[in-house]
Amino acid sequence: MQDSASPLSFQQLILTLHDYWAAQGCVILQPFDMRVGAGTFHPATTLRSLGPNPWNCAYVQPSRRPTDGRYGENPNRLQHYYQYQVIMKPSPPDLQDLYLGSLKAIGIDPLLHDIRFVEDDWESPTLGAWGLGWEVWCDGMEVTQFTYFQQMGGFDCKPVAGELTYGLERLAMYIQGVDSVYDLVFNEAVGNRPAVTYGDVFLENERQMSKWNFEVADTDKLFRWFKDCETECAASIAAGVPLAAYEQAIEASHVFNLLQARGVISVQERASYMGRVRDLAKGSCEAWMAYNGWAE
Amino acid sequence: MTDFLLELRCEEIPARMQAKASEDLARLFTEKLAEAGLTPGALTSYVTPRRLALIAHDLPLATQAVSEEFKGPRTSAPPQALEGFLRKTGLTQDQLEDRDGVWFATVEKPGRATADVLAEAIPAIVRAFPWPKSMRWGDASLSTESLRWVRPLQGIIALLGNEVVPFAIEDVIADRVTAGHRFHFDGRISVESAKTYAAQLRAAHVIVDQDERKAIIETRANALAAEAGLELIPDAGLIAENAGLTEWPVPLLGRFDPAFLEVPPEVIQLTLRINQKYFVLREANDSEAGALANAFICTANIEAKDGGRAIVEGNGKVLAARLSDARFFWEQDKKTKLEDHAKKLSRITFHEKLGTVADKVERVAKLARWLVESDIVTPAKAGVSSEGSAPSPEMPAFAGMTKEELADLAEQAARLAKADLVTEMVGEFPELQGLMGGYYARAEGLPDAVADAIRDHYKPVGQGDEVPTAPVTVAVSLADKLDTLMCFFAIGEKPTGSKDPFALRRAALSVIRLVLQNGLRFSLDDTLEAMTDVIAARRSDDGEEQHRRDILDGVLLSEIATGDAGLVWFFVERLKVQQREAGVRHDLIDAVFALGGEDDLCRVLARVKALQSFVTTEDGTNLLAGYKRAANILKKERPETGTQSDAGEEDPGEALTDPDVAEAIRVHDALPPAYTLEPAEAALIAALDAAEPRADAAVVAEDFEGAMAALAGLRAPIDAFFTAVTVNDPDPAKRDSRLNLLTRIRAAVHKVADFSRIEG
């Protein structure tokens, strides 16, 4: 689709969203420096959605889903990709309009493309969190998850935060009209400095990391790391540093995903591991609530 | 009289909740107004993704004044009682009336302005609205007590005539202002009145009437199909869903790569319909009529500037990606044989007390074979309906098949029937279970009968679902459901009240339909008992297996089948529910079951049907009256043998040792009485002597109409007997002999049914 003269490159897409949300009063954060499965894991969403203080921010979060790796051979599936995350607390009354404004900003004309809010409630058992909202469709494609958080870490959100999660690669593929993620234009050429594609940047990474996730990662070490995360999380809670405890919960969650990719967790064990990750995340949230004096 | 308009505008309401919400709003509104004594002339309900609206026509402007009378304490009661009464009524003593020593108060309630009633009623309705899921939002959500709605509530219109009814729900203030279409209309709309509402919104690109949106989608989609030489596959649910996702629906037709059509059509349909909410089309011309077309119709919410070209292109891309996934699954799944897929079933838990799905498959395979080897399902018998429908056209395929061949096919099909549960495709589309197994079976060259059985063994699923008639399918389907029922009964997981988590009622109903439709003849009790042995005989004897075996055989025999609330009882209850729709009386089903020993469902139903036509005849009604008279006398005079009416709570298998039956045999064989019989008495004996063997013979021949006809002959002699003869004669010999005669009447009638169970 080519609505404007030349569609946004991948990096222009991100910069445009940054400009747009900064103008709405959002803090523009940089990605969290740990391996996470989704932008929601960033403490700027998870922990900041707890408690009474207003909080408005936007950031890109690299997200890792080891089981989605396809060795760079599938045009749509990646084990590492980007989410664009906006969190606004309390949820503003015109959040839908603000969101639609962001689509216009990146070149999607709502009188040319069919934008729809289709029911999709969100739940993250590992974070003890849920909310109501939609997946936003653009011409039948899901481009954003739109959620009003109701609970996080087992606690009622007071007040409720609105969360927007854009799938950046998907959105960019749509805007640029390409069929493979690796063909995305990452930036524009300037002078004799050439443009690069998403494939130039990430294809080799997908190949090697898929191989590591599925074949190489040492499962004995992974099991050990998981246990280490559990003890370190507990120790951090005991020492009164819930932010550090939460980092261990995040790490445990990723190690669990790696163990899944290695296929060493049986169906029966799976539920038990998910329960253990949830305990770490909820425990950290509880400690964070208590630390701030918000727990009832 | 005037009209009232209510619009509750919010962010997008899930499509699936809209119809119920609209009904709830109308119902709650009517109830609240009725409480205040107001009845509108008519209600019109509208719902779109962004608004619930309601117009109440012809409302009076005020409620009627009413006077209510309350009865108070006696005038002689202590003063505290009077004081309490005055407090309650808000009156003074001089306003009370002394009526025969009791205080009466008349309280006058003046009429209220309808606007006031509405200003109270609407907030109450909104606060207590029964959304299946609701949420908090915004600044107010600092408290968990804040207003809940399905999605953030943005505005309220409340107009009585041309006037706003003033009220507020938290920070949402009732007004006359609303929004138009999200993209086609900027700014706000100031609504004049209920009369102009729909037209003003239409001008802002919103069609508020859901039925009109449905009609537009249906008409336009059909027209698009016709223009393309195609035919729309009707789908009322999808029309409603798209009407629930749009305020200005615009159907558009697109195409996909015909190469995808190699994937089974059901997969393509589901991909289009479930994932993308697209309509599916088929070829309309003669040569390919009925075949799925490589086209889709999506429903946009805008009148696009380019006529929808970009929308169709975008949707087509999304669909292509989805269909590529589906084709990938289809190709991947076919690379593994079903028997190899089936091995993975040992990793899926069926129920923690009942082992894995592989365990279940093993039981079902044995049961399916056993059903054939026991001649319950035979090559000839399945497909011949006892309900009078024509035999299935599939039957010739089984003509000449031996029992052993059928048993082999049934076992083979049962072993593969659940294998598709571990395929990629069924993982993606669980609703394709069975169907995909059928496709994969055919693709690997298994016999058609086996592929059909794998495909159809879940059937019949609901009331309207077709009942399998092919013998292999019938054997697998029946075995699957009986296994489920027996195992869950064995571990005590019976349905209670509205809870039926394992859908056992539906399974029992399916068994009944399979049995009746195919005319399968067997005693439930004996069969269930024999099947427990089949199930309990396990392959291995290691500890865990042994444990499960204990669960199954220890309990089953005594309790599962015939105990209180056992399976036989469960089937009878389901049969009553199932037959109610066909107009068969539940008390007649009880009357037949109460005989005991009758648990062949086909024969039960034949008896019941004959009985039902008989008891509505004049002969039947009178015979029933005569029977009841005889039974009542016996109950009083010979209570020790009058226990038949309780037989239902006993084990029906013990019918032959029932004291009542034994008594009947005794009196029948007794010597003729030594006194001179009255003519009516003699005539009744003669009639019984004639009717009994005829009824017996007819029952044996399963000619229940014949048995009823034989009994009908008793009606006149019984009437004459009661008119002319005194049972309680002072002569003990006569009395005894006549009571014996009444016992014979009762026993004769019990050859067809326990008439004491018949109501009326």
Side-chain angles (χ1 to χ4, degrees):
Chain A
M1 49 164 271
Q2 249 107 39
D3 298 352
S4 49
S6 73
L8 298 177
S9 67
F10 191 68
Q11 69 188 32
Q12 278 173 324
L13 172 65
I14 293 171
L15 295 171
T16 307
L17 288 172
H18 274 343
D19 279 346
Y20 181 85
W21 288 107
Q24 309 306 327
C26 288
V27 174
I28 304 300
L29 287 178
Q30 300 308 313
F32 192 56
D33 61 340
M34 289 183 72
R35 299 176 296 182
V36 295
T40 308
F41 278 89
H42 195 311
T45 291
T46 310
L47 297 182
R48 292 280 187 167
S49 66
L50 292 167
N53 301 335
W55 175 248
N56 301 286
C57 83
Y59 55 87
V60 174
Q61 181 61 46
S63 304
R64 298 202 189 207
R65 303 216 172 151
T67 47
D68 281 352
R70 294 292 184 272
Y71 297 85
E73 285 163 14
N74 183 300
N76 296 299
R77 283 188 193 259
L78 304 162
Q79 56 82 42
H80 171 282
Y81 64 101
Y82 289 116
Q83 288 188 341
Y84 194 92
Q85 177 92 355
V86 178
I87 191 97
M88 299 190 92
K89 182 178 96 167
S91 64
D94 57 348
L95 186 56
Q96 279 188 315
D97 290 335
L98 291 179
Y99 167 72
L100 292 169
S102 76
L103 291 189
K104 284 185 198 164
I106 58 175
I108 295 179
D109 178 349
L111 285 176
L112 202 51
H113 297 285
D114 187 33
I115 311 295
R116 226 83 74 67
F117 292 85
V118 181
E119 176 192 17
D120 190 28
D121 300 338
W122 173 81
E123 189 179 12
S124 168
T126 47
L127 288 176
W130 68 276
L132 299 190
W134 311 271
E135 49 184 46
V136 183
W137 284 16
C138 174
D139 297 340
M141 181 175 67
E142 183 193 346
V143 289
T144 306
Q145 185 78 35
F146 190 132
T147 307
Y148 291 102
F149 284 162
Q150 302 294 301
Q151 278 203 331
M152 177 61 75
F155 294 96
D156 283 328
C157 294
K158 298 189 289 186
V160 164
E163 182 208 45
L164 308 174
T165 305
Y166 302 73
L168 281 177
E169 284 82 355
R170 207 184 257 207
L171 204 48
M173 284 168 73
Y174 196 68
I175 292 172
Q176 297 186 13
V178 300
D179 292 329
S180 167
V181 65
Y182 299 109
D183 295 336
L184 279 176
V185 174
F186 208 102
N187 69 332
E188 309 288 340
V190 176
N192 62 354
R193 291 181 285 279
V196 301
T197 64
Y198 193 93
D200 294 334
V201 183
F202 283 118
L203 181 57
E204 189 54 32
N205 185 63
E206 282 301 309
R207 288 181 182 141
Q208 294 195 17
M209 291 310 296
S210 292
K211 186 172 165 96
W212 187 78
N213 293 337
F214 286 125
E215 303 168 39
V216 179
D218 182 328
T219 56
D220 289 342
K221 285 202 190 79
L222 291 174
F223 278 119
R224 206 163 66 225
W225 290 345
F226 188 90
K227 286 200 194 97
D228 287 348
C229 290
E230 285 185 309
T231 52
E232 194 60 20
C233 182
S236 303
I237 289 174
V241 281
L243 290 174
Y246 180 68
E247 290 193 355
Q248 295 303 319
I250 292 178
E251 183 64 17
S253 173
H254 181 66
V255 172
F256 164 68
N257 289 340
L258 285 170
L259 285 165
Q260 286 253 86
R262 293 289 281 117
V264 290
I265 292 187
S266 73
V267 181
Q268 284 83 356
E269 285 174 314
R270 188 168 177 271
S272 144
Y273 269 93
M274 286 178 69
R276 286 162 73 178
V277 174
R278 185 181 55 239
D279 289 346
L280 299 182
K282 287 184 75 169
S284 304
C285 288
E286 276 164 29
W288 176 244
M289 292 288 285
Y291 182 87
N292 287 288
W294 297 328
E296 277 139 31
Chain B
M1 294 281 184
T2 191
D3 294 345
F4 173 64
L5 166 68
L6 176 68
E7 183 198 70
L8 303 167
R9 183 168 53 86
C10 64
E11 298 180 1
E12 276 76 356
I13 307 169
R16 66 186 172 94
M17 298 179 187
Q18 291 171 16
K20 169 82 169 28
S22 186
E23 282 165 27
D24 285 340
L25 180 61
R27 177 177 54 80
L28 294 169
F29 182 81
T30 309
E31 284 171 11
K32 279 281 170 201
L33 262 62
E35 281 172 26
L38 281 172
T39 313
L43 289 186
T44 307
S45 294
Y46 296 130
V47 59
T48 82
R50 297 174 71 199
R51 56 202 97 219
L52 271 176
L54 174 149
I55 293 173
H57 301 275
D58 303 324
L59 267 181
L61 288 171
T63 66
Q64 296 273 342
V66 287
S67 75
E68 261 185 288
E69 188 176 82
F70 296 95
K71 187 181 173 189
R74 299 193 64 80
T75 51
S76 57
Q80 294 92 325
L82 178 61
E83 279 163 31
F85 186 57
L86 291 174
R87 255 198 316 277
K88 182 182 141 201
T89 54
L91 298 180
T92 53
Q93 190 176 347
D94 59 318
Q95 290 171 298
L96 300 185
E97 188 189 340
D98 174 356
R99 236 184 266 164
D100 301 328
V102 177
W103 289 118
F104 278 86
T106 305
V107 179
E108 301 291 343
K109 279 196 179 134
R112 293 180 68 201
T114 298
D116 292 345
V117 172
L118 290 167
E120 249 175 51
I122 305 303
I125 292 170
V126 168
R127 287 183 191 284
F129 202 81
W131 291 110
K133 275 187 193 170
S134 61
M135 56 167 278
R136 298 174 296 116
W137 66 91
D139 294 347
S141 62
L142 204 47
S143 160
T144 49
E145 302 304 306
S146 66
L147 178 64
R148 293 177 159 271
W149 198 246
V150 63
R151 294 292 184 277
L153 182 66
Q154 293 178 316
I156 298 178
I157 295 180
L159 283 178
L160 188 61
N162 299 320
E163 302 295 321
V164 172
V165 176
F167 63 87
I169 307 172
E170 292 186 9
D171 55 355
V172 187
I173 298 162
D175 199 347
R176 61 169 71 242
V177 172
T178 188
H181 187 279
R182 210 182 251 299
F183 305 114
H184 280 302
F185 188 84
D186 268 337
R188 302 275 130 177
I189 303 161
S190 181
V191 176
E192 279 173 41
S193 73
K195 289 191 173 53
T196 65
Y197 175 68
Q200 283 187 275
L201 277 156
R202 184 185 304 273
H205 269 78
V206 174
I207 295 165
V208 290
D209 184 345
Q210 58 285 356
D211 293 331
E212 187 184 341
R213 293 197 308 278
K214 284 185 211 166
I216 289 171
I217 294 170
E218 187 170 16
T219 310
R220 188 70 197 127
N222 274 305
L224 284 170
E227 284 164 26
L230 303 173
E231 195 175 69
L232 192 72
I233 297 182
D235 193 334
L238 196 57
I239 291 175
E241 189 171 10
N242 276 296
L245 284 164
T246 49
E247 293 201 309
W248 192 263
V250 180
L252 298 166
L253 184 138
R255 293 280 184 174
F256 58 83
D257 184 346
F260 288 122
L261 290 172
E262 73 191 51
V263 178
E266 292 88 347
V267 174
I268 295 178
Q269 287 193 24
L270 272 182
T271 305
L272 264 67
R273 140 168 239 298
I274 305 292
N275 291 338
Q276 296 299 133
K277 309 188 198 302
Y278 299 158
F279 293 95
V280 186
L281 299 111
R282 59 187 163 216
E283 302 290 345
N285 62 34
D286 287 342
S287 59
E288 309 161 285
L292 212 58
N294 65 319
F296 66 92
I297 290 180
C298 61
T299 310
N301 190 32
I302 54 166
E303 206 93 60
K305 289 190 282 195
D306 65 349
R309 197 189 51 79
I311 295 174
V312 168
E313 191 190 325
N315 277 286
K317 273 194 178 181
V318 180
L319 182 60
R322 293 263 191 199
L323 289 175
S324 305
D325 278 350
R327 184 166 56 186
F328 177 75
F329 295 150
W330 167 243
E331 299 294 342
Q332 280 301 108
D333 288 343
K334 281 195 297 182
K335 287 180 187 162
T336 308
K337 286 182 134 192
L338 278 181
E339 59 174 284
D340 292 320
H341 280 302
K343 286 174 189 154
K344 295 178 221 149
L345 295 172
S346 59
R347 292 192 220 152
I348 305 177
T349 305
F350 173 62
H351 182 282
E352 55 171 329
K353 290 187 186 162
L354 297 170
T356 66
V357 176
D359 294 329
K360 179 176 176 52
V361 165
E362 179 66 25
R363 295 194 300 267
V364 172
K366 280 197 230 160
L367 284 180
R369 167 172 283 281
W370 181 85
L371 284 168
V372 174
E373 287 174 345
S374 311
D375 295 319
I376 289 170
V377 178
T378 66
K381 225 194 261 170
V384 180
S385 168
S386 68
E387 292 185 330
S389 61
S392 154
E394 289 160 282
M395 288 316 293
F398 296 92
M401 182 182 286
T402 66
K403 191 202 273 193
E404 193 52 33
E405 283 163 345
L406 180 58
D408 286 345
L409 288 175
E411 183 176 343
Q412 184 187 12
R415 289 198 185 284
L416 302 176
K418 306 289 182 192
D420 66 356
L421 292 179
V422 295
T423 61
E424 301 256 15
M425 191 69 90
V426 174
E428 183 72 12
F429 296 114
E431 55 271 72
L432 290 183
Q433 63 177 15
L435 188 91
M436 288 320 300
Y439 274 112
Y440 295 138
R442 244 176 282 272
E444 69 178 79
L446 293 170
D448 279 345
V450 170
D452 289 346
I454 294 171
R455 182 189 63 200
D456 295 334
H457 82 281
Y458 293 102
K459 289 175 180 277
V461 178
Q463 267 293 7
D465 198 19
E466 88 189 83
V467 179
T469 52
V472 181
T473 312
V474 170
V476 179
S477 175
L478 198 58
D480 188 20
K481 289 162 187 67
L482 286 172
D483 170 72
T484 297
L485 284 162
M486 289 196 291
C487 287
F488 281 107
F489 268 63
I491 58 168
E493 289 282 1
K494 302 175 191 180
T496 50
S498 60
K499 287 206 192 79
D500 184 11
F502 304 107
L504 300 185
R505 291 191 179 112
R506 195 175 72 191
L509 184 58
S510 300
V511 169
I512 290 171
R513 294 185 64 204
L514 278 164
V515 166
L516 296 181
Q517 178 82 32
N518 291 296
L520 305 184
R521 303 296 305 273
F522 59 92
S523 151
L524 266 180
D525 200 8
D526 296 349
T527 304
L528 293 176
E529 205 168 302
M531 285 173 73
T532 59
D533 292 339
V534 178
I535 289 176
R538 308 279 316 190
R539 281 165 302 175
S540 71
D541 269 314
D542 64 274
E544 201 190 352
E545 298 289 356
Q546 185 64 45
H547 172 64
R548 266 183 227 128
R549 175 158 123 186
D550 293 343
I551 293 171
L552 291 177
D553 62 12
V555 206
L556 271 170
L557 297 182
S558 55
E559 300 225 345
I560 301 319
T562 57
D564 276 357
L567 255 185
V568 172
W569 166 85
F570 190 63
F571 276 115
V572 175
E573 291 303 305
R574 289 300 100 198
L575 183 68
K576 286 188 212 167
V577 173
Q578 191 233 6
Q579 291 292 321
R580 189 166 25 186
E581 273 185 31
V584 174
R585 285 167 49 182
H586 64 92
D587 58 325
L588 301 185
I589 294 180
D590 275 338
V592 169
F593 264 98
L595 291 177
E598 177 58 286
D599 63 351
D600 172 326
L601 290 173
C602 291
R603 202 167 56 208
V604 165
L605 206 60
R607 271 182 196 264
V608 170
K609 285 184 172 165
L611 184 59
Q612 181 147 351
S613 39
F614 177 60
V615 294
T616 50
T617 62
E618 200 195 336
D619 279 346
T621 316
N622 287 319
L623 182 67
L624 180 59
Y627 166 89
K628 291 212 161 164
R629 193 162 169 187
N632 282 337
I633 294 170
L634 285 171
K635 206 191 273 179
K636 203 156 75 193
E637 304 299 331
R638 286 185 174 166
E640 73 282 4
T641 62
T643 56
Q644 185 68 38
S645 64
D646 295 330
E649 278 96 57
E650 292 169 10
D651 186 339
E654 290 171 10
L656 283 177
T657 55
D658 188 295
D660 191 28
V661 176
E663 172 72 2
I665 293 167
R666 187 185 66 74
V667 299
H668 187 260
D669 295 343
L671 292 172
Y675 61 94
T676 311
L677 298 171
E678 306 264 347
E681 200 175 1
L684 178 56
I685 292 173
L688 280 165
D689 286 343
E692 280 166 344
R694 273 180 59 208
D696 279 335
V699 167
V700 169
E702 303 194 358
D703 169 15
F704 300 109
E705 283 81 6
M708 303 290 164
L711 293 181
L714 292 174
R715 173 245 163 144
I718 290 174
D719 288 353
F721 174 80
F722 278 124
T723 312
V725 181
T726 309
V727 176
N728 266 331
D729 197 275
D731 175 353
K734 286 188 184 174
R735 179 175 170 275
D736 197 45
S737 160
R738 285 167 189 167
L739 286 175
N740 284 350
L741 201 49
L742 297 188
T743 307
R744 269 187 77 186
I745 293 174
R746 190 171 61 184
V749 169
H750 282 190
K751 290 181 196 303
V752 295
D754 179 352
F755 272 42
S756 69
R757 298 273 175 162
I758 299 176
E759 293 169 3

